[in-house]
Amino acid sequence: MTALDLSLHKKQGLALLSEATEIGYGGAAGGGKSHLGRVSAIFFCVSVPGLQVYLFRRQSNELVKNHMEGPTSFPAMLHTWVKAGFARIVKNEIRFWNGSKIFLCHCQHEKDVFNWLGPEMHYLIIEQAEQFTPFMLKMLRGRNRIPEALEMPEQYKKLFPRVLYTFNPGGVGHAYFKAKFVKALKRDKSGVSEIVEQPDEEGGKLRQFIQAKLDDNPSVNPVEYRKTLRGLPPRMAKALEEGDFDQVVGAFFPEIDRTKHLIKPFRIPDHWTRLMSMDWGACGEGDPFSIGWWAVSDGVNTIYPRNSLIGYRTWYGAGLPKVTASQVAQGILKRELNEPAPIVRVAGGDIEDKRGHGPSIFEIFAEEDVHFARADRRRQPGHVQMRERLVGKNDIPGIYWFEQYEDILETIMNLQHDLHDPNDCTQNDDHNAEQTRYICMARPYTSDMPATELPIEQQFRMPTLDELWKITEENRRGRI
């Protein structure tokens, strides 16, 4: 049998031979992610007779251009074996003499995952996985299984079923990979994480993150490639050059800056106007509610400009058990105990819609003494208002969040441009952005400090000599 050139550089080799069963390989552009996918697919197909490898990308044309054309494609790599009869390439399927197969698949829309509920995906490779939604990733991972009938060589039994994700910063899956791999798994200086067993609700696999860096790949000239990347917008260049997941490629709100928009918590003065906004939904993964409590700065004795919004509390339903509208209303009131109530509450979603002959969500909240006004739900004007506040004036923003709500701000940071409407963002995990947009469209106004709440230095200021003489004269004339 003619030998194939399946050479890998060190980081790619670590990913290939890792004892983890769920591997995230990604970071900087030029790290050799696609080559790793092809080599690992061929290597395991040759090593394990009857293995079924499913390699996914979001778009079908990406599969062809990335894996079926060019000098490093599957046809080029397998040319001698195809000629010798050890492998056949039939459209988007590669068949080996020992019964193993590689299927090149695409999954463009979330609904398309339901086309893949039947196959047993012994080795699942998802390329540019940041372009897949968390729902799509979890559904495809649910197809990753090995039948008992497959006779697995002893040295490979502990490696399968196996998943490999390759990804860069950005995309609709950015937040998922940042939370589950980049931040959750502690890495050594080389960028290789420990292997950590996941709980059942996370798939129960042995998870590892291997950070791919540009300098790791000897087949790419790092100097020349960096020059190419630096021709991109600054944040995009930083994300792709350094694999920096604090930069979001394609972000709809690139103006968000943690150092500016996240602030230390402080006691909100009682006289500041308080507001609340809500994007209604159920809980869990599908359509969670998001509620934000906001205060409007009066600009007095504070570094936050007059009329700026301070997000001092949030309540997000993602991942929570299903709850009723009544339970959410009671949770709102519980969180507002012993503090001034919001003077206005605005809500979007379909809270005013009737459910058959029963009361609307709007009416259920009202029965619990939580009264909402309907939010202005116009998207593009609302995004303009958000952007105005994020940018602010003279490099000082007009909107802030307490720092403990960084994860809320991050969901807004991760929103991408809608591919079909460049003036809008994708409506994926946009619930926190929705309620923020509602409050920005509510045109909040400032409450001035009451006279009884003068600064302490004014309340206890000693009168001047002229003021004392005036008081003495008025006493003498019997005016006071």
Side-chain angles (χ1 to χ4, degrees), residues 415-448:
L415 288 176
Q416 302 281 299
H417 283 84
D418 190 317
L419 296 177
H420 306 290
D421 184 356
N423 295 314
D424 203 354
C425 61
T426 54
Q427 297 182 38
N428 178 64
D429 197 11
D430 63 345
H431 311 286
N432 295 309
E434 292 283 271
Q435 57 99 342
T436 304
R437 175 163 58 85
Y438 299 154
I439 205 65
C440 289
M441 289 290 279
R443 301 180 66 86
Y445 63 88
T446 302
S447 295
D448 292 322

PDB file of all heavy atoms in Angstrom, residues 415-448:
ATOM      1  N   LEU A 415     -23.507  39.675  19.493  1.00  0.00           N
ATOM      2  CA  LEU A 415     -24.483  39.726  18.405  1.00  0.00           C
ATOM      3  C   LEU A 415     -23.793  40.045  17.080  1.00  0.00           C
ATOM      4  O   LEU A 415     -22.919  40.901  17.005  1.00  0.00           O
ATOM      5  CB  LEU A 415     -25.547  40.784  18.700  1.00  0.00           C
ATOM      6  CG  LEU A 415     -26.544  40.442  19.805  1.00  0.00           C
ATOM      7  CD1 LEU A 415     -27.478  41.615  20.044  1.00  0.00           C
ATOM      8  CD2 LEU A 415     -27.340  39.195  19.455  1.00  0.00           C
ATOM      9  N   GLN A 416     -24.204  39.329  16.046  1.00  0.00           N
ATOM     10  CA  GLN A 416     -23.613  39.473  14.718  1.00  0.00           C
ATOM     11  C   GLN A 416     -24.548  40.244  13.786  1.00  0.00           C
ATOM     12  O   GLN A 416     -25.747  40.372  14.028  1.00  0.00           O
ATOM     13  CB  GLN A 416     -23.350  38.089  14.115  1.00  0.00           C
ATOM     14  CG  GLN A 416     -22.440  37.217  14.956  1.00  0.00           C
ATOM     15  CD  GLN A 416     -20.982  37.590  14.793  1.00  0.00           C
ATOM     16  OE1 GLN A 416     -20.431  37.522  13.704  1.00  0.00           O
ATOM     17  NE2 GLN A 416     -20.350  37.982  15.885  1.00  0.00           N
ATOM     18  N   HIS A 417     -23.988  40.765  12.681  1.00  0.00           N
ATOM     19  CA  HIS A 417     -24.809  41.377  11.651  1.00  0.00           C
ATOM     20  C   HIS A 417     -25.680  40.309  10.981  1.00  0.00           C
ATOM     21  O   HIS A 417     -25.225  39.190  10.736  1.00  0.00           O
ATOM     22  CB  HIS A 417     -23.934  42.047  10.587  1.00  0.00           C
ATOM     23  CG  HIS A 417     -23.357  43.363  11.016  1.00  0.00           C
ATOM     24  ND1 HIS A 417     -22.200  43.463  11.766  1.00  0.00           N
ATOM     25  CD2 HIS A 417     -23.789  44.630  10.815  1.00  0.00           C
ATOM     26  CE1 HIS A 417     -21.936  44.738  11.994  1.00  0.00           C
ATOM     27  NE2 HIS A 417     -22.882  45.465  11.433  1.00  0.00           N
ATOM     28  N   ASP A 418     -26.909  40.682  10.702  1.00  0.00           N
ATOM     29  CA  ASP A 418     -27.799  39.793   9.951  1.00  0.00           C
ATOM     30  C   ASP A 418     -27.300  39.726   8.510  1.00  0.00           C
ATOM     31  O   ASP A 418     -27.098  40.751   7.860  1.00  0.00           O
ATOM     32  CB  ASP A 418     -29.226  40.350   9.988  1.00  0.00           C
ATOM     33  CG  ASP A 418     -30.243  39.366   9.452  1.00  0.00           C
ATOM     34  OD1 ASP A 418     -29.961  38.736   8.406  1.00  0.00           O
ATOM     35  OD2 ASP A 418     -31.319  39.231  10.045  1.00  0.00           O
ATOM     36  N   LEU A 419     -27.093  38.510   8.001  1.00  0.00           N
ATOM     37  CA  LEU A 419     -26.580  38.334   6.645  1.00  0.00           C
ATOM     38  C   LEU A 419     -27.529  38.884   5.595  1.00  0.00           C
ATOM     39  O   LEU A 419     -27.109  39.239   4.484  1.00  0.00           O
ATOM     40  CB  LEU A 419     -26.318  36.844   6.372  1.00  0.00           C
ATOM     41  CG  LEU A 419     -25.227  36.187   7.226  1.00  0.00           C
ATOM     42  CD1 LEU A 419     -25.136  34.705   6.896  1.00  0.00           C
ATOM     43  CD2 LEU A 419     -23.886  36.867   7.024  1.00  0.00           C
ATOM     44  N   HIS A 420     -28.813  38.969   5.924  1.00  0.00           N
ATOM     45  CA  HIS A 420     -29.809  39.426   4.955  1.00  0.00           C
ATOM     46  C   HIS A 420     -30.167  40.899   5.133  1.00  0.00           C
ATOM     47  O   HIS A 420     -30.859  41.470   4.288  1.00  0.00           O
ATOM     48  CB  HIS A 420     -31.071  38.561   5.048  1.00  0.00           C
ATOM     49  CG  HIS A 420     -30.806  37.098   4.906  1.00  0.00           C
ATOM     50  ND1 HIS A 420     -30.420  36.522   3.712  1.00  0.00           N
ATOM     51  CD2 HIS A 420     -30.829  36.085   5.820  1.00  0.00           C
ATOM     52  CE1 HIS A 420     -30.228  35.225   3.884  1.00  0.00           C
ATOM     53  NE2 HIS A 420     -30.480  34.934   5.140  1.00  0.00           N
ATOM     54  N   ASP A 421     -29.734  41.499   6.238  1.00  0.00           N
ATOM     55  CA  ASP A 421     -30.027  42.909   6.493  1.00  0.00           C
ATOM     56  C   ASP A 421     -28.871  43.514   7.281  1.00  0.00           C
ATOM     57  O   ASP A 421     -28.791  43.354   8.495  1.00  0.00           O
ATOM     58  CB  ASP A 421     -31.339  43.052   7.285  1.00  0.00           C
ATOM     59  CG  ASP A 421     -31.739  44.515   7.486  1.00  0.00           C
ATOM     60  OD1 ASP A 421     -30.959  45.407   7.082  1.00  0.00           O
ATOM     61  OD2 ASP A 421     -32.829  44.758   8.024  1.00  0.00           O
ATOM     62  N   PRO A 422     -27.966  44.211   6.609  1.00  0.00           N
ATOM     63  CA  PRO A 422     -26.781  44.748   7.291  1.00  0.00           C
ATOM     64  C   PRO A 422     -27.103  45.798   8.342  1.00  0.00           C
ATOM     65  O   PRO A 422     -26.248  46.131   9.158  1.00  0.00           O
ATOM     66  CB  PRO A 422     -25.959  45.354   6.141  1.00  0.00           C
ATOM     67  CG  PRO A 422     -26.949  45.602   5.049  1.00  0.00           C
ATOM     68  CD  PRO A 422     -27.974  44.525   5.170  1.00  0.00           C
ATOM     69  N   ASN A 423     -28.347  46.320   8.323  1.00  0.00           N
ATOM     70  CA  ASN A 423     -28.740  47.313   9.323  1.00  0.00           C
ATOM     71  C   ASN A 423     -29.346  46.686  10.570  1.00  0.00           C
ATOM     72  O   ASN A 423     -29.785  47.393  11.465  1.00  0.00           O
ATOM     73  CB  ASN A 423     -29.745  48.308   8.714  1.00  0.00           C
ATOM     74  CG  ASN A 423     -29.129  49.126   7.610  1.00  0.00           C
ATOM     75  OD1 ASN A 423     -28.023  49.636   7.759  1.00  0.00           O
ATOM     76  ND2 ASN A 423     -29.832  49.246   6.490  1.00  0.00           N
ATOM     77  N   ASP A 424     -29.368  45.365  10.612  1.00  0.00           N
ATOM     78  CA  ASP A 424     -29.957  44.670  11.751  1.00  0.00           C
ATOM     79  C   ASP A 424     -28.987  43.608  12.241  1.00  0.00           C
ATOM     80  O   ASP A 424     -27.997  43.282  11.582  1.00  0.00           O
ATOM     81  CB  ASP A 424     -31.289  44.034  11.359  1.00  0.00           C
ATOM     82  CG  ASP A 424     -32.206  43.789  12.542  1.00  0.00           C
ATOM     83  OD1 ASP A 424     -31.765  44.005  13.691  1.00  0.00           O
ATOM     84  OD2 ASP A 424     -33.357  43.377  12.328  1.00  0.00           O
ATOM     85  N   CYS A 425     -29.277  43.071  13.423  1.00  0.00           N
ATOM     86  CA  CYS A 425     -28.437  42.012  13.987  1.00  0.00           C
ATOM     87  C   CYS A 425     -29.189  40.696  13.950  1.00  0.00           C
ATOM     88  O   CYS A 425     -30.410  40.658  13.795  1.00  0.00           O
ATOM     89  CB  CYS A 425     -28.033  42.343  15.428  1.00  0.00           C
ATOM     90  SG  CYS A 425     -29.413  42.520  16.576  1.00  0.00           S
ATOM     91  N   THR A 426     -28.459  39.616  14.087  1.00  0.00           N
ATOM     92  CA  THR A 426     -29.089  38.300  14.161  1.00  0.00           C
ATOM     93  C   THR A 426     -29.942  38.222  15.413  1.00  0.00           C
ATOM     94  O   THR A 426     -29.580  38.748  16.462  1.00  0.00           O
ATOM     95  CB  THR A 426     -28.026  37.193  14.209  1.00  0.00           C
ATOM     96  OG1 THR A 426     -27.112  37.468  15.292  1.00  0.00           O
ATOM     97  CG2 THR A 426     -27.246  37.125  12.918  1.00  0.00           C
ATOM     98  N   GLN A 427     -31.063  37.551  15.299  1.00  0.00           N
ATOM     99  CA  GLN A 427     -31.968  37.433  16.437  1.00  0.00           C
ATOM    100  C   GLN A 427     -31.711  36.120  17.168  1.00  0.00           C
ATOM    101  O   GLN A 427     -32.593  35.302  17.361  1.00  0.00           O
ATOM    102  CB  GLN A 427     -33.412  37.548  15.956  1.00  0.00           C
ATOM    103  CG  GLN A 427     -33.707  38.909  15.343  1.00  0.00           C
ATOM    104  CD  GLN A 427     -35.142  39.063  14.894  1.00  0.00           C
ATOM    105  OE1 GLN A 427     -36.071  38.584  15.540  1.00  0.00           O
ATOM    106  NE2 GLN A 427     -35.343  39.733  13.770  1.00  0.00           N
ATOM    107  N   ASN A 428     -30.460  35.947  17.582  1.00  0.00           N
ATOM    108  CA  ASN A 428     -30.050  34.747  18.301  1.00  0.00           C
ATOM    109  C   ASN A 428     -29.471  35.173  19.648  1.00  0.00           C
ATOM    110  O   ASN A 428     -28.499  35.913  19.709  1.00  0.00           O
ATOM    111  CB  ASN A 428     -28.998  33.983  17.500  1.00  0.00           C
ATOM    112  CG  ASN A 428     -28.509  32.755  18.231  1.00  0.00           C
ATOM    113  OD1 ASN A 428     -29.271  31.834  18.477  1.00  0.00           O
ATOM    114  ND2 ASN A 428     -27.238  32.755  18.595  1.00  0.00           N
ATOM    115  N   ASP A 429     -30.069  34.724  20.726  1.00  0.00           N
ATOM    116  CA  ASP A 429     -29.662  35.117  22.074  1.00  0.00           C
ATOM    117  C   ASP A 429     -29.579  36.647  22.175  1.00  0.00           C
ATOM    118  O   ASP A 429     -28.608  37.207  22.678  1.00  0.00           O
ATOM    119  CB  ASP A 429     -28.316  34.491  22.432  1.00  0.00           C
ATOM    120  CG  ASP A 429     -28.059  34.515  23.946  1.00  0.00           C
ATOM    121  OD1 ASP A 429     -28.992  34.816  24.699  1.00  0.00           O
ATOM    122  OD2 ASP A 429     -26.919  34.240  24.363  1.00  0.00           O
ATOM    123  N   ASP A 430     -30.642  37.306  21.680  1.00  0.00           N
ATOM    124  CA  ASP A 430     -30.652  38.767  21.659  1.00  0.00           C
ATOM    125  C   ASP A 430     -31.564  39.359  22.733  1.00  0.00           C
ATOM    126  O   ASP A 430     -31.888  40.543  22.693  1.00  0.00           O
ATOM    127  CB  ASP A 430     -31.104  39.277  20.293  1.00  0.00           C
ATOM    128  CG  ASP A 430     -32.543  38.867  19.959  1.00  0.00           C
ATOM    129  OD1 ASP A 430     -33.079  37.959  20.642  1.00  0.00           O
ATOM    130  OD2 ASP A 430     -33.118  39.443  19.026  1.00  0.00           O
ATOM    131  N   HIS A 431     -31.963  38.557  23.707  1.00  0.00           N
ATOM    132  CA  HIS A 431     -32.953  38.999  24.691  1.00  0.00           C
ATOM    133  C   HIS A 431     -32.437  40.134  25.568  1.00  0.00           C
ATOM    134  O   HIS A 431     -33.176  41.073  25.879  1.00  0.00           O
ATOM    135  CB  HIS A 431     -33.396  37.808  25.542  1.00  0.00           C
ATOM    136  CG  HIS A 431     -33.761  36.615  24.721  1.00  0.00           C
ATOM    137  ND1 HIS A 431     -34.926  36.546  24.004  1.00  0.00           N
ATOM    138  CD2 HIS A 431     -33.087  35.457  24.457  1.00  0.00           C
ATOM    139  CE1 HIS A 431     -34.966  35.401  23.348  1.00  0.00           C
ATOM    140  NE2 HIS A 431     -33.871  34.721  23.607  1.00  0.00           N
ATOM    141  N   ASN A 432     -31.163  40.077  25.954  1.00  0.00           N
ATOM    142  CA  ASN A 432     -30.600  41.164  26.756  1.00  0.00           C
ATOM    143  C   ASN A 432     -30.473  42.438  25.933  1.00  0.00           C
ATOM    144  O   ASN A 432     -30.682  43.544  26.439  1.00  0.00           O
ATOM    145  CB  ASN A 432     -29.236  40.752  27.315  1.00  0.00           C
ATOM    146  CG  ASN A 432     -29.349  39.605  28.297  1.00  0.00           C
ATOM    147  OD1 ASN A 432     -30.142  39.638  29.231  1.00  0.00           O
ATOM    148  ND2 ASN A 432     -28.553  38.567  28.103  1.00  0.00           N
ATOM    149  N   ALA A 433     -30.131  42.290  24.670  1.00  0.00           N
ATOM    150  CA  ALA A 433     -30.061  43.456  23.790  1.00  0.00           C
ATOM    151  C   ALA A 433     -31.454  44.038  23.555  1.00  0.00           C
ATOM    152  O   ALA A 433     -31.613  45.264  23.463  1.00  0.00           O
ATOM    153  CB  ALA A 433     -29.427  43.067  22.462  1.00  0.00           C
ATOM    154  N   GLU A 434     -32.466  43.177  23.484  1.00  0.00           N
ATOM    155  CA  GLU A 434     -33.825  43.654  23.262  1.00  0.00           C
ATOM    156  C   GLU A 434     -34.295  44.548  24.402  1.00  0.00           C
ATOM    157  O   GLU A 434     -34.788  45.651  24.176  1.00  0.00           O
ATOM    158  CB  GLU A 434     -34.780  42.461  23.112  1.00  0.00           C
ATOM    159  CG  GLU A 434     -34.567  41.633  21.857  1.00  0.00           C
ATOM    160  CD  GLU A 434     -35.128  42.293  20.615  1.00  0.00           C
ATOM    161  OE1 GLU A 434     -36.298  42.076  20.300  1.00  0.00           O
ATOM    162  OE2 GLU A 434     -34.368  43.039  19.963  1.00  0.00           O
ATOM    163  N   GLN A 435     -34.145  44.068  25.639  1.00  0.00           N
ATOM    164  CA  GLN A 435     -34.639  44.894  26.749  1.00  0.00           C
ATOM    165  C   GLN A 435     -33.803  46.160  26.899  1.00  0.00           C
ATOM    166  O   GLN A 435     -34.313  47.197  27.339  1.00  0.00           O
ATOM    167  CB  GLN A 435     -34.731  44.090  28.057  1.00  0.00           C
ATOM    168  CG  GLN A 435     -33.442  43.437  28.530  1.00  0.00           C
ATOM    169  CD  GLN A 435     -32.734  44.241  29.601  1.00  0.00           C
ATOM    170  OE1 GLN A 435     -33.004  45.423  29.771  1.00  0.00           O
ATOM    171  NE2 GLN A 435     -31.815  43.603  30.318  1.00  0.00           N
ATOM    172  N   THR A 436     -32.521  46.111  26.513  1.00  0.00           N
ATOM    173  CA  THR A 436     -31.697  47.322  26.532  1.00  0.00           C
ATOM    174  C   THR A 436     -32.177  48.307  25.472  1.00  0.00           C
ATOM    175  O   THR A 436     -32.250  49.524  25.709  1.00  0.00           O
ATOM    176  CB  THR A 436     -30.212  46.975  26.292  1.00  0.00           C
ATOM    177  OG1 THR A 436     -29.788  46.025  27.274  1.00  0.00           O
ATOM    178  CG2 THR A 436     -29.334  48.213  26.383  1.00  0.00           C
ATOM    179  N   ARG A 437     -32.534  47.796  24.315  1.00  0.00           N
ATOM    180  CA  ARG A 437     -33.064  48.650  23.253  1.00  0.00           C
ATOM    181  C   ARG A 437     -34.369  49.303  23.686  1.00  0.00           C
ATOM    182  O   ARG A 437     -34.607  50.489  23.423  1.00  0.00           O
ATOM    183  CB  ARG A 437     -33.264  47.812  21.983  1.00  0.00           C
ATOM    184  CG  ARG A 437     -33.922  48.541  20.838  1.00  0.00           C
ATOM    185  CD  ARG A 437     -33.714  47.796  19.527  1.00  0.00           C
ATOM    186  NE  ARG A 437     -34.221  46.438  19.571  1.00  0.00           N
ATOM    187  CZ  ARG A 437     -35.481  46.092  19.339  1.00  0.00           C
ATOM    188  NH1 ARG A 437     -36.374  47.030  19.068  1.00  0.00           N
ATOM    189  NH2 ARG A 437     -35.848  44.830  19.369  1.00  0.00           N
ATOM    190  N   TYR A 438     -35.232  48.543  24.375  1.00  0.00           N
ATOM    191  CA  TYR A 438     -36.502  49.106  24.823  1.00  0.00           C
ATOM    192  C   TYR A 438     -36.281  50.288  25.765  1.00  0.00           C
ATOM    193  O   TYR A 438     -36.962  51.304  25.669  1.00  0.00           O
ATOM    194  CB  TYR A 438     -37.334  48.042  25.547  1.00  0.00           C
ATOM    195  CG  TYR A 438     -37.704  46.836  24.720  1.00  0.00           C
ATOM    196  CD1 TYR A 438     -37.952  45.604  25.334  1.00  0.00           C
ATOM    197  CD2 TYR A 438     -37.793  46.901  23.331  1.00  0.00           C
ATOM    198  CE1 TYR A 438     -38.291  44.490  24.589  1.00  0.00           C
ATOM    199  CE2 TYR A 438     -38.134  45.791  22.581  1.00  0.00           C
ATOM    200  CZ  TYR A 438     -38.375  44.584  23.213  1.00  0.00           C
ATOM    201  OH  TYR A 438     -38.700  43.466  22.477  1.00  0.00           O
ATOM    202  N   ILE A 439     -35.316  50.145  26.678  1.00  0.00           N
ATOM    203  CA  ILE A 439     -35.119  51.225  27.655  1.00  0.00           C
ATOM    204  C   ILE A 439     -34.497  52.441  26.986  1.00  0.00           C
ATOM    205  O   ILE A 439     -34.785  53.590  27.353  1.00  0.00           O
ATOM    206  CB  ILE A 439     -34.275  50.735  28.858  1.00  0.00           C
ATOM    207  CG1 ILE A 439     -34.579  51.580  30.110  1.00  0.00           C
ATOM    208  CG2 ILE A 439     -32.792  50.752  28.584  1.00  0.00           C
ATOM    209  CD1 ILE A 439     -35.970  51.453  30.624  1.00  0.00           C
ATOM    210  N   CYS A 440     -33.651  52.226  26.006  1.00  0.00           N
ATOM    211  CA  CYS A 440     -33.070  53.366  25.285  1.00  0.00           C
ATOM    212  C   CYS A 440     -34.129  54.111  24.485  1.00  0.00           C
ATOM    213  O   CYS A 440     -34.029  55.327  24.297  1.00  0.00           O
ATOM    214  CB  CYS A 440     -31.955  52.894  24.359  1.00  0.00           C
ATOM    215  SG  CYS A 440     -30.453  52.345  25.209  1.00  0.00           S
ATOM    216  N   MET A 441     -35.143  53.396  24.013  1.00  0.00           N
ATOM    217  CA  MET A 441     -36.229  54.031  23.257  1.00  0.00           C
ATOM    218  C   MET A 441     -37.275  54.664  24.158  1.00  0.00           C
ATOM    219  O   MET A 441     -38.161  55.381  23.692  1.00  0.00           O
ATOM    220  CB  MET A 441     -36.901  52.992  22.347  1.00  0.00           C
ATOM    221  CG  MET A 441     -36.037  52.546  21.177  1.00  0.00           C
ATOM    222  SD  MET A 441     -35.816  53.848  19.958  1.00  0.00           S
ATOM    223  CE  MET A 441     -37.364  53.712  19.051  1.00  0.00           C
ATOM    224  N   ALA A 442     -37.196  54.410  25.457  1.00  0.00           N
ATOM    225  CA  ALA A 442     -38.194  54.949  26.385  1.00  0.00           C
ATOM    226  C   ALA A 442     -37.943  56.415  26.728  1.00  0.00           C
ATOM    227  O   ALA A 442     -38.731  57.024  27.449  1.00  0.00           O
ATOM    228  CB  ALA A 442     -38.229  54.108  27.665  1.00  0.00           C
ATOM    229  N   ARG A 443     -36.833  57.008  26.257  1.00  0.00           N
ATOM    230  CA  ARG A 443     -36.473  58.407  26.494  1.00  0.00           C
ATOM    231  C   ARG A 443     -36.542  58.753  27.991  1.00  0.00           C
ATOM    232  O   ARG A 443     -37.301  59.621  28.410  1.00  0.00           O
ATOM    233  CB  ARG A 443     -37.378  59.343  25.701  1.00  0.00           C
ATOM    234  CG  ARG A 443     -37.316  59.114  24.205  1.00  0.00           C
ATOM    235  CD  ARG A 443     -38.218  60.053  23.447  1.00  0.00           C
ATOM    236  NE  ARG A 443     -37.767  61.422  23.562  1.00  0.00           N
ATOM    237  CZ  ARG A 443     -36.846  61.987  22.768  1.00  0.00           C
ATOM    238  NH1 ARG A 443     -36.289  61.254  21.823  1.00  0.00           N
ATOM    239  NH2 ARG A 443     -36.502  63.238  22.921  1.00  0.00           N
ATOM    240  N   PRO A 444     -35.759  58.046  28.815  1.00  0.00           N
ATOM    241  CA  PRO A 444     -35.794  58.308  30.262  1.00  0.00           C
ATOM    242  C   PRO A 444     -35.339  59.726  30.584  1.00  0.00           C
ATOM    243  O   PRO A 444     -34.498  60.299  29.901  1.00  0.00           O
ATOM    244  CB  PRO A 444     -34.802  57.284  30.826  1.00  0.00           C
ATOM    245  CG  PRO A 444     -33.918  56.945  29.682  1.00  0.00           C
ATOM    246  CD  PRO A 444     -34.772  57.028  28.460  1.00  0.00           C
ATOM    247  N   TYR A 445     -35.920  60.275  31.637  1.00  0.00           N
ATOM    248  CA  TYR A 445     -35.576  61.637  32.041  1.00  0.00           C
ATOM    249  C   TYR A 445     -35.004  61.635  33.451  1.00  0.00           C
ATOM    250  O   TYR A 445     -35.144  60.680  34.212  1.00  0.00           O
ATOM    251  CB  TYR A 445     -36.804  62.553  31.970  1.00  0.00           C
ATOM    252  CG  TYR A 445     -37.926  62.162  32.902  1.00  0.00           C
ATOM    253  CD1 TYR A 445     -37.971  62.630  34.217  1.00  0.00           C
ATOM    254  CD2 TYR A 445     -38.953  61.323  32.473  1.00  0.00           C
ATOM    255  CE1 TYR A 445     -39.000  62.260  35.067  1.00  0.00           C
ATOM    256  CE2 TYR A 445     -39.985  60.951  33.318  1.00  0.00           C
ATOM    257  CZ  TYR A 445     -40.005  61.432  34.613  1.00  0.00           C
ATOM    258  OH  TYR A 445     -41.020  61.063  35.464  1.00  0.00           O
ATOM    259  N   THR A 446     -34.358  62.720  33.796  1.00  0.00           N
ATOM    260  CA  THR A 446     -33.650  62.834  35.066  1.00  0.00           C
ATOM    261  C   THR A 446     -34.530  63.439  36.144  1.00  0.00           C
ATOM    262  O   THR A 446     -35.291  64.362  35.883  1.00  0.00           O
ATOM    263  CB  THR A 446     -32.402  63.718  34.893  1.00  0.00           C
ATOM    264  OG1 THR A 446     -31.576  63.147  33.905  1.00  0.00           O
ATOM    265  CG2 THR A 446     -31.629  63.848  36.187  1.00  0.00           C
ATOM    266  N   SER A 447     -34.406  62.911  37.349  1.00  0.00           N
ATOM    267  CA  SER A 447     -35.010  63.543  38.532  1.00  0.00           C
ATOM    268  C   SER A 447     -33.948  64.380  39.223  1.00  0.00           C
ATOM    269  O   SER A 447     -32.831  63.906  39.449  1.00  0.00           O
ATOM    270  CB  SER A 447     -35.541  62.482  39.507  1.00  0.00           C
ATOM    271  OG  SER A 447     -36.600  61.759  38.932  1.00  0.00           O
ATOM    272  N   ASP A 448     -34.283  65.622  39.543  1.00  0.00           N
ATOM    273  CA  ASP A 448     -33.323  66.474  40.239  1.00  0.00           C
ATOM    274  C   ASP A 448     -33.314  66.168  41.723  1.00  0.00           C
ATOM    275  O   ASP A 448     -34.303  65.699  42.301  1.00  0.00           O
ATOM    276  CB  ASP A 448     -33.664  67.944  40.015  1.00  0.00           C
ATOM    277  CG  ASP A 448     -33.457  68.363  38.568  1.00  0.00           C
ATOM    278  OD1 ASP A 448     -32.483  67.881  37.966  1.00  0.00           O
ATOM    279  OD2 ASP A 448     -34.277  69.147  38.045  1.00  0.00           O
TER     280      ASP A 448
END
